Amino acid sequence: MKNNRLLKMILAALFLALAYVMPFLTGQIPEIGAMLCPMHLPALLCGFICGPIWGAVVGGVAPLMRSMLTGGFPPMFPTAVCMAFELASYGAIAGVMHGLLPRKKPFIYCSLLSAMVTGRLIWGAAMFVCVGINGGSFTFAAFLAGAVTNAIPGIIVQLVLVPVIVMLLDNPKFFKTRS
């Protein structure tokens, strides 16, 4: 039991490190780098693999930590703050759904889609509030552009990679050592 908690903590730290590093890698592709949503993958995977609490913690901390350590990329307010809510919900919902549903491909997609849709709605609500605090307005068109249109490459990557990785890591044979 103690080893399982330690493993989850170590994996969560790995996912947090990936969330920090991946935007540097995707940033090398200027045309679509940010559109690949590189911090989303580690938050989602952490929820699936480590559970909802670690998924929420990693998702919530990653954009704030990255903003502080990189001198404002993403900008702290409103971008990183709103992303923190979005990614925390990704990790939490992916973890909760994956824990409740059978560990089969259709249910992994159900968990993933639930997390992605809810996270984007939470991001939209957070942006609405944060932009409103600054006296601006966050329109439905801005929500669609930010949550869907500009994120299509990232959405595709998430829909392709996350289920494959989760199925691999959920397979008990994956962690058995070969002799």
Side-chain angles (χ1 to χ4, degrees):
M1 186 72 136
K2 221 178 220 184
N3 288 339
N4 192 26
R5 281 188 283 184
L6 180 61
L7 177 62
K8 285 183 180 184
M9 186 184 305
I10 291 167
L11 288 171
L14 173 70
F15 288 122
L16 184 60
L18 283 171
Y20 180 78
V21 171
M22 285 181 69
F24 289 120
L25 301 175
T26 61
Q28 303 305 310
I29 313 166
E31 297 80 25
I32 63 163
M35 297 169 84
L36 291 172
C37 307
M39 284 195 279
H40 296 206
L41 285 171
L44 286 162
L45 288 170
C46 188
F48 275 105
I49 305 306
C50 301
I53 294 172
W54 282 115
V57 169
V58 167
V61 168
L64 302 174
M65 178 187 78
R66 192 164 195 317
S67 180
M68 288 187 284
L69 295 177
T70 62
F73 185 75
M76 183 60 78
F77 193 82
T79 309
V81 170
C82 295
M83 280 180 69
F85 285 106
E86 175 187 22
L87 298 184
S89 67
Y90 279 176
I93 292 165
V96 166
M97 295 290 291
H98 192 58
L100 292 174
L101 297 174
R103 304 234 170 163
K104 295 182 179 178
K105 189 189 292 189
F107 296 106
I108 292 171
Y109 276 103
C110 181
S111 300
L112 176 61
L113 289 170
S114 297
M116 290 170 67
V117 168
T118 305
R120 281 174 167 72
L121 291 173
I122 288 173
W123 172 81
M127 284 296 286
F128 181 80
V129 169
C130 289
V131 170
I133 288 172
N134 283 343
S137 65
F138 187 69
T139 64
F140 185 69
F143 168 76
L144 283 179
V148 181
T149 309
N150 295 339
I152 288 174
I155 291 168
I156 293 168
V157 167
Q158 292 163 27
L159 290 172
V160 170
L161 288 182
V162 171
V164 170
I165 294 169
V166 170
M167 284 185 279
L168 277 173
L169 295 176
D170 268 354
N171 186 346
K173 294 177 187 175
F174 183 82
F175 288 104
K176 285 188 178 177
T177 57
R178 307 235 185 248
S179 44

